[in-house]
Amino acid sequence: MLSTLKMAAGTVLEDIILYNNKSFLVPLFLIALLFLWLTEKKKRLRVVLVYIVTALGVVFVCPLYAWIGIKIDAEIYYRVLWALPMGIIVCYSAVKLMMRFQNIAGRGLVFILALLIICINGDLVYTKTLHFKSVNAYHMPQQVIDVAEALKLDNYTPIAVMPAELLPFFRQYTADVHTPYGRNILEPAWSFSNALYDAMENDKTCYDAVEVARCAREEHCAYVVLSCAKQIRGGMEEQNYFLLDFVQGYYIYMDYYYYDVYKEQGLLDEDVLRTGEAKRGEA
């Protein structure tokens, strides 16, 4: 048990170091908190900004609590630090220190020093390494939007399987297309598994059309989206699919079975009907 607690304490220390990164935010926060312990006299503010914050900090570094939290999910235990209002504590302490000076020169000096410390403690977000010009109003890859628009139906919410790189963004843009699995399957810590995902992602260079089609039908997918960056072993057309569209480097295939069902029920848009009939005529 002792070795387990030591391991938890080591993980907590590592989380703090990584959270602090190359800044001195954590030491600055601790100095500000100590300053409030010594100077804050108002009872309500002392409870909120001193006692509660200190208690949260103690809970985070407590090896026993850390062991429980890490046992639940070690990947996100550091997020307990988000509950500590570091920015508020530092800024309030700076203002409180500034107000202790009676003359304008003293207050101005404290203000300038506080501003400089805050500035050098971070990075300018508009630098070339941190700031990228958005390509659309949604601040996400344009291919996600284009693929989503190609999959949508006005009168129905279809199911579509797509490459893993689209999953983190797809649901942010639309809920008008269902997927057999979401971005949660990309997190190893969550231990999700899916045969269709394996068929789509296990081979990094090639799709097996037979396996993809079989698994997609088991998951009731009307659409299969495949990346042009990978080869397709066997044709999707041989599996009774037709190429509906090619969008931003992605092939969008539709299952003829679902095409016929949706057509009979009057659920298909005109452009899908035109493409489907044209492909059927070619076949």
Side-chain angles (χ1 to χ4, degrees):
M1 184 63 180
L2 184 60
S3 61
T4 302
L5 294 179
K6 285 183 179 179
M7 186 181 300
T11 302
V12 168
L13 180 60
E14 183 180 354
D15 283 346
I16 293 174
I17 293 173
L18 291 173
Y19 188 86
N20 191 63
N21 200 8
K22 297 179 181 179
S23 69
F24 44 92
L25 174 62
V26 173
L28 188 62
F29 161 71
L30 294 175
I31 293 170
L33 184 60
L34 178 61
F35 175 74
L36 291 182
W37 266 102
L38 298 174
T39 62
E40 184 56 61
K41 303 301 181 185
K42 295 180 181 180
K43 186 175 181 180
R44 290 183 179 178
L45 289 177
R46 193 171 179 83
V47 170
V48 174
L49 297 180
V50 178
Y51 297 151
I52 293 179
V53 172
T54 301
L56 286 172
V58 170
V59 167
F60 176 77
V61 299
C62 174
L64 181 58
Y65 178 82
W67 175 75
I68 296 172
I70 293 169
K71 196 77 172 176
I72 295 172
D73 196 335
E75 295 289 330
I76 63 173
Y77 181 70
Y78 75 94
R79 295 183 185 179
V80 177
L81 288 171
W82 294 356
L84 298 176
M86 295 187 182
I88 294 175
I89 296 295
V90 171
C91 292
Y92 177 72
S93 298
V95 173
K96 193 171 181 64
L97 177 62
M98 185 173 64
M99 297 308 295
R100 292 171 71 90
F101 290 86
Q102 301 300 320
N103 55 73
I104 296 178
R107 292 181 178 182
L109 180 61
V110 173
F111 174 77
I112 293 172
L113 287 175
L115 191 62
L116 288 174
I117 290 172
I118 291 173
C119 287
I120 65 176
N121 196 48
D123 295 311
L124 180 64
V125 297
Y126 295 108
T127 58
K128 292 182 179 179
T129 56
L130 296 177
H131 179 69
F132 301 92
K133 187 176 181 180
S134 176
V135 296
N136 53 62
Y138 299 94
H139 300 272
M140 64 176 60
Q142 186 61 42
Q143 59 263 37
V144 175
I145 297 173
D146 293 343
V147 168
E149 289 298 325
L151 294 172
K152 284 183 181 181
L153 294 175
D154 291 338
N155 303 310
Y156 189 70
T157 303
I159 302 176
V161 62
M162 61 194 65
E165 66 267 19
L166 299 180
L167 293 174
F169 308 98
F170 191 81
R171 189 57 69 232
Q172 296 179 43
Y173 176 70
T174 182
D176 293 331
V177 180
H178 292 162
T179 55
Y181 46 79
R183 73 171 188 86
N184 49 7
I185 204 168
L186 304 178
E187 299 293 337
W190 292 342
S191 302
F192 289 118
S193 62
N194 182 282
L196 177 53
Y197 177 81
D198 293 340
M200 291 285 290
E201 304 299 333
N202 275 355
D203 192 330
K204 301 303 180 183
T205 61
C206 184
Y207 296 108
D208 184 336
V210 175
E211 185 67 11
V212 169
R214 182 186 68 81
C215 294
R217 289 193 172 109
E218 288 181 356
E219 295 285 354
H220 310 291
C221 296
Y223 295 111
V224 173
V225 181
L226 303 179
S227 172
C228 70
K230 295 168 65 172
Q231 295 179 344
I232 303 176
R233 184 168 59 250
M236 292 298 291
E237 289 80 3
E238 296 173 9
Q239 306 305 315
N240 205 33
Y241 283 79
F242 68 90
L243 181 62
L244 177 66
D245 207 346
F246 178 74
V247 179
Q248 294 273 24
Y250 292 94
Y251 297 106
I252 299 178
Y253 287 96
M254 187 171 190
D255 190 334
Y256 267 122
Y257 169 77
Y258 287 100
Y259 172 81
D260 290 335
V261 172
Y262 294 169
K263 178 183 176 182
E264 183 179 341
Q265 297 177 1
L267 300 175
L268 295 177
D269 299 343
E270 289 297 326
D271 57 337
V272 179
L273 280 170
R274 285 195 299 269
T275 303
E277 293 307 309
K279 294 293 183 178
R280 179 159 278 167
E282 293 175 4

